[in-house]
Amino acid sequence: MVKAGIIGCGGIAQNRHIPEYAANPDAEIAGYCDWNRDRAKEMAAKYGGRVYESVDELLSDPTINAVSVCVANTQHAEITIRALKAGKHVLCEKPMAVSIGECEAMVQAAEESGKMLMIGQNQRMMKEHQRARALIREGAIGKVLTFRTAFGHQGPEHWSVMKNRTWFFDKAQAAMGAVADLGVHKTDLIQFLLDDYISEVTAVITTLDKKDPEGLPIGVDDNAVCVYRMRSGAIGTMTASWTYYGAAEENYTVIYGTEGVLHIYDRPDYTLYIQKPDGERIYYEMEKKLRPEVLSGSGVIDEFVSALTQNRESCISGKDVMMAMKAVFAGVESSRTGQTVRVL
Ligand SMILES: NC(=O)c1ccc[n+]([C@@H]2O[C@H](COP(=O)([O-])OP(=O)(O)OC[C@H]3O[C@@H](n4cnc5c(N)ncnc54)[C@H](O)[C@@H]3O)[C@@H](O)[C@H]2O)c1
């Protein structure tokens, strides 16, 4: 049985981690901690388990064997490493951490402790993405030449429990903005879909519009456009934005091969289809798009629990996600220097 401790009880914990542990028959929630004690109390009242006064108190409970780290970005590495050293398996939210040194230290702490480190890159668990990866592998669109992938919405103030006073806008707590919030999803995803790594990045990452509650520009980026070259030679763009001021978010990927074009979530009516050069369309999912990440389980907690129960490596290991983080940090450097940055 996985006995989980929840560190941070905000948006992601409330919408995914906590309900998904509660729904998993192989898991039980031991308790919660949050700087805002009321938030932890509310979760304990709703889902059971106790409230811990601090991260240390939670980590010293010997009945807890796994934790979810659901706090602001700049605390991911420190809390994850402490938890691993305390003998807990860790599911840490994305972005994995805010520097490559931190990512490496997390992976090393997992190796030294013999505990699992998994990262919440939930896009890998979406069934359209898993099917698309298999189709590309089978050669359904021939050799991949180019791609475009994007994730954009109105901004994290519409999601965070802290609304427009959110830590997402504060450089000291978030380190990076849209590129770390949304860009890491699509960066990790393109490597996952193509079963390849990004070798080179040219990027513009900037703050165009978003203001804090005082009306000042936020401390982090609100837009990122990155050109990625893969090791295979394929090239494409990754766009992340917090300034898509329409109601619906954009969250799509299109991959262009020598024998067709693969579309994922780029139309409201079909989630996955291939357009062949002769005009034929092959639909793989006929159901309407239902914002799968929001309305259904993310699959991340089930994967964490199942990997622990089966004593196997998770399919979103810290070691693998670190390869996507390298590309994200290369994008930040490219934007700062105006140069193309080599990753691998
Ligand atoms: N996988 C996804 O798609 C996804 C979506 C949203 C957020 N996230 C990630 O989840 C993490 C949390 O984001 P959120 O949207 O839940 O934020 P949020 O602002 O809604 O909630 C964060 C919570 O953490 C608490 N907190 C912060 N530091 C703490 C500490 N040291 N100890 C105890 N509690 C602490 C805050 O009081 C707050 O309740 C971020 O890293 C974010 O990038 C992932």
Side-chain angles (χ1 to χ4, degrees), residues 7-13 16 33-36 39 55 70-73 75-76 79 93-95 120 122 159-162 166-168 181 185 293:
I7 303 176
C9 298
I12 195 66
R16 299 201 194 133
C33 88
D34 195 294
W35 278 344
N36 180 322
R39 240 168 252 150
V55 175
C70 301
V71 299
N73 304 345
Q75 295 171 67
H76 286 186
I79 294 180
E93 262 309 330
K94 46 57 58 177
N122 53 291
W159 157 275
S160 168
V161 290
M162 296 155 92
T166 180
W167 60 269
F168 277 98
D181 182 32
H185 276 302
E293 288 186 86

Side-chain angles (χ1 to χ4, degrees), residues 86-228:
K88 317 297 183 195
H89 301 287
V90 177
L91 169 55
C92 176
E93 262 309 330
K94 46 57 58 177
M96 181 174 177
V98 299
S99 72
I100 198 62
E102 283 188 352
C103 293
E104 284 166 354
M106 289 162 83
V107 170
Q108 193 184 336
E111 277 165 7
E112 284 170 5
S113 66
K115 301 295 167 189
M116 182 184 297
L117 171 60
M118 177 172 154
I119 311 297
Q121 298 290 164
N122 53 291
Q123 297 233 341
R124 291 194 195 195
M125 302 308 300
M126 291 155 74
K127 62 184 186 314
E128 283 80 358
H129 290 152
Q130 295 187 343
R131 190 76 201 273
R133 175 180 157 102
L135 286 166
I136 293 166
R137 242 186 210 190
E138 289 159 16
I141 57 167
K143 178 177 158 53
V144 172
L145 299 173
T146 62
F147 57 84
R148 58 190 168 90
T149 185
F151 198 170
H153 57 48
Q154 304 191 60
E157 67 273 36
H158 298 273
W159 157 275
S160 168
V161 290
M162 296 155 92
K163 304 299 170 199
N164 65 352
R165 298 251 163 223
T166 180
W167 60 269
F168 277 98
F169 293 164
D170 175 14
K171 196 171 174 72
Q173 295 185 74
M176 298 168 282
V179 74
D181 182 32
L182 307 180
V184 292
H185 276 302
K186 290 313 196 196
T187 303
D188 183 68
L189 179 68
I190 203 68
Q191 296 199 147
F192 174 74
L193 290 175
L194 303 186
D195 200 7
D196 194 5
Y197 291 115
I198 293 159
S199 64
E200 201 179 272
V201 185
T202 313
V204 176
I205 301 174
T206 188
T207 314
L208 293 177
D209 183 71
K210 195 67 84 183
K211 309 281 189 304
D212 68 17
E214 278 68 48
L216 297 168
I218 58 170
V220 292
D221 62 275
D222 60 14
N223 276 278
V225 179
C226 304
V227 176
Y228 289 151

